[in-house]
Amino acid sequence: EVIQNSREVLRLLQEKNPAFQPVLAIIQAGDDNLMQEINQNLAEEAGLNIAHICLPPDSSEDEIIDEILKINEDTRVHGLALQISESSFNNKVLNALKPEKDVDGVTDVNLGRLVRGDAHECYVSPVARAVVELLEKSVGVNLDGKKVLVTGAHGSLEAALQCLFQRKGSMTMSSQWKTPQLQNKLHEADIVVVGSPKPEDVPLSWIQPGTTVLNCSHDFLLGKLGCGSLGVHFNDVIAEGDVSLLAAALRIQNMVSSGRRWLREQQHARWRLHCLKLQPLSPVPSDLEISRAQTPKAVDVLAKEIGLLADEIEIYGKSKAKVRLSLLERLKDQADGKYVLVAGITPTPLGEGKSTVTVGLVQALTAHLNINSFACLRQPSQGPTFGVKGGAAGGGYAQVIPMEEFNLHLTGDIHAITAANNLLAAAIDTRILHENTQTDKALYNRLVPLVNGVREFSSIQLARLKKLGINKTDPSTLTEEEISKFARLNIDPSTITWQRVLDTNDRFLRKITIGQAPTEKGCSRQAQFDIAVASEIMAVLALTDSLTDMKERLGRMVVASDKNGQPVTADDLGVTGALTVLMKDAIKPNLMQTLEGTPVFVHAGPFANIAHGNSSVLADKIALKLVGEEGFVVTEAGFGADIGMEKFFNIKCRASGLVPNVVVLVATVRALKMHGGGPSVTAGVPLKKEYTEENIQLVADGCCNLQKQIQIAQLFGVPVVVALNVFKTDTRAEIDLVCELAKRAGAFDAVPCYHWAVGGKGSVDLARAVREAASQRSRFRFLYDLQLPIVEKIRTIAQAVYGAKDIELSPEAQSKIDRYTQQGFGNLPICMAKTHLSLSHQPDKKGVPRDFILPISDVRASIGAGFIYPLVGTMSTMPGLPTRPCFYDIDLDTETEQVKGLF
């Protein structure tokens, strides 16, 4: 009956979850296989899988615990039972089991819950349950008021038996075989439960005729069924074999319950998140002081709170962890949450606080409205940290902590990108050198060497042969023509587009000469360094959705053309596998937290001009699964909505297949005054009085830029909520005017935000507006069809988004477009590289410029990332240091090891 019920429950679970295959693991230390056979047969009958881990009989305590700990972390296993020697059944071993996998109910946690009366929350010993059920159902004993003696039982079994009998109203006694009063207790007992083999010196005559005797020798747990019979002269004798068989069935039942609980935990639930309390000060201290005043939760605690399993995170220090991509497979049937993009109006050079709004919004949603939410942010380049811009962790009481770890190194992703990028750069120049200095035969012999008398192609070389149409696998069978075709890439040095990178602002690397040493035999050329985040590998990381996809994208990256005008890729150079190895950890998103203890993913940070300026697709996808259907994922796009938001929709959403629900458009009174004709704003220079005193006219005139950015968002069919990031110098009249004009322009709502000064509490109104806007039906659409010619896609963006009259292509740009079209890249999306300080190509043109012609000076391609990027004017990809860089203020307290002067 128990097995049939278990099988039916399991069938119903698997109907709803076809991939669900619960596994019971049994650790056995010994050679007795009879119990193993019983477990196997019952499990097969119920539809369960069993994994037997057989250890030598003399296995040490530590060896047994090592196996237990491995199974604890194995997500495929839902239950764990032990068949080990009695001497090994000690607290250290038993409590090594995870309580949720302890289907024998032997851990202190499960016993404690049973004693407390929470039997529905724990696993009860199958042996103890079998004893009670056999007495009630097989023998028909009414346990209420009966005197029950449990003799010879130990530990968890003794405790579970006593508890269950007491719940049935029995008067329970417990005794060991050597107890002096044993004879009296046996005389008094109506029921005797034997927990271990009876010693020879205890005569059966001590047990009164008519007593019900039940044998559940602890040896049952060891798989030893051959205990001696107690005799048959009593009223009822239930042999140990009967107990053991029912107990094995009840263990299977516990196992099915464990699987059901596990499935329930995988489904969406509101997080039980312990949020961190804020005590905002006025005036607001520096970002670093605020960050340091808050003690973050341990990252493994945060991970558990949001539903991550222990084997799904890799911890870096106390406050950072990487999240493994296996989570996506586990939660593949989980409904996604709501997807929110934070963009901005055309900013001042100071920035308008998109990161701060993003953090404030999730703090409000989760810490104050009890809604699951995740922030997904870009990882900042270390270069500007020591230059002029500062960090990107948010600010005030809405930031990611610890902020110095956020801005410095993090988990090394940018360093991995630097290593991979520069390996590919080295491979290009090295290949040119060797092709220039060797014959076809010598080159081929070195590319496909004889190793231990055997010559073989590597897998990536076989892929190149296939690409060349050479269907051979034996290196000795290639003709001279095929050898030349295979061995020579014939790279045209003048077409090399792949540059070396460094994550430091260094203007003197913008143009360099490489290959000047005599060992390079005259293979010198002009080259340059870019900042590391400008590498195409960063864009690949941000757009990939799996390890396999990343490897394919890395292999497709075009680094140059050959002398016949055909593209040369990383695959052609044979370096794809090595690049993937360098990037295998960087692909995992980084988990951190906000000041209020809500979760944040920090992952990828591609440039927002020559790349798309958004955090990773993978971080968004994982976060959307973790928050569940009613939760929110809030991510940020670089620069203004005309650049970052447009690329988010047309590039990132095409790559991910995700559909956004709401755009939060960040504005400031300061930026609107600039667009209304206010004086120029320069980083490091105090603001003019127009920006610190009330000026309604300037605000009203500047709202044209806000209205235009709202219209741009509406091109994509997504509702817009305007978040006015309030500064202390803003007046109530200015704030009310902006909100009113925004709503008139078509915003779903417009809300002033005060998160910088008070944390999530200051963005509760914004959170409510976003929640309401997300309940609207999405009408998301792309701006252009990918099948349009490259020129038409560029023109569509220029006219519909920027407001240009038309575009003007330079001869160089037209030539590149023709080449990319001929090479088969014409159906890629467009990533415009344009100034972020104006809707036009001229940074000093504020507000909403009209009737301008947008000049396209050049067109380049990131084939691995998957987009074409036209250059509007010149783009610097290596920042320089100012006269007084930030590093003057940065220092380390050598006593406390605390960083000083960082923002």
Side-chain angles (χ1 to χ4, degrees), residues 295-344:
T295 302
K297 290 182 284 190
V299 72
D300 58 331
V301 172
L302 173 65
K304 188 173 182 179
E305 288 176 339
I306 62 176
L308 287 164
L309 305 180
D311 68 341
E312 289 172 342
I313 61 169
E314 298 169 2
I315 296 174
Y316 285 65
K318 296 179 180 178
S319 53
K320 310 184 294 288
K322 281 197 164 291
V323 176
R324 292 178 178 164
L325 307 189
S326 57
L327 171 74
L328 286 171
E329 176 62 25
R330 176 170 69 86
L331 297 182
K332 64 184 178 183
D333 297 323
Q334 171 85 286
D336 286 348
K338 306 292 186 184
Y339 198 26
V340 179
L341 174 71
V342 175

Side-chain angles (χ1 to χ4, degrees), residues 774-885:
S775 67
Q776 308 296 304
R777 183 168 166 269
S778 176
R779 293 182 173 83
F780 175 67
R781 56 188 173 270
F782 296 118
L783 184 64
Y784 53 78
D785 189 325
L786 287 180
Q787 304 309 314
L788 284 173
I790 291 175
V791 172
E792 289 308 310
K793 286 183 281 194
I794 296 172
R795 181 175 283 114
T796 299
I797 295 170
Q799 293 178 334
V801 177
Y802 307 152
K805 185 177 180 181
D806 204 350
I807 62 172
E808 182 178 73
L809 298 173
S810 72
E812 174 74 5
Q814 185 63 62
S815 171
K816 293 280 189 68
I817 288 172
D818 293 342
R819 184 199 300 172
Y820 295 140
T821 303
Q822 180 268 325
Q823 291 176 340
F825 305 138
N827 61 349
L828 293 175
I830 302 300
C831 181
M832 299 290 284
K834 180 187 78 72
T835 178
H836 61 292
L837 297 174
S838 172
L839 283 163
S840 76
H841 57 288
Q842 297 172 291
D844 58 332
K845 301 292 185 186
K846 305 302 181 183
V848 183
R850 303 182 189 279
D851 297 325
F852 60 92
I853 304 295
L854 191 74
I856 310 298
S857 60
D858 196 2
V859 176
R860 298 176 189 167
S862 290
I863 303 304
F867 51 74
I868 303 289
Y869 61 99
L871 299 182
V872 182
T874 57
M875 286 290 134
S876 173
T877 51
M878 172 53 85
L881 293 172
T883 305
R884 191 187 188 283

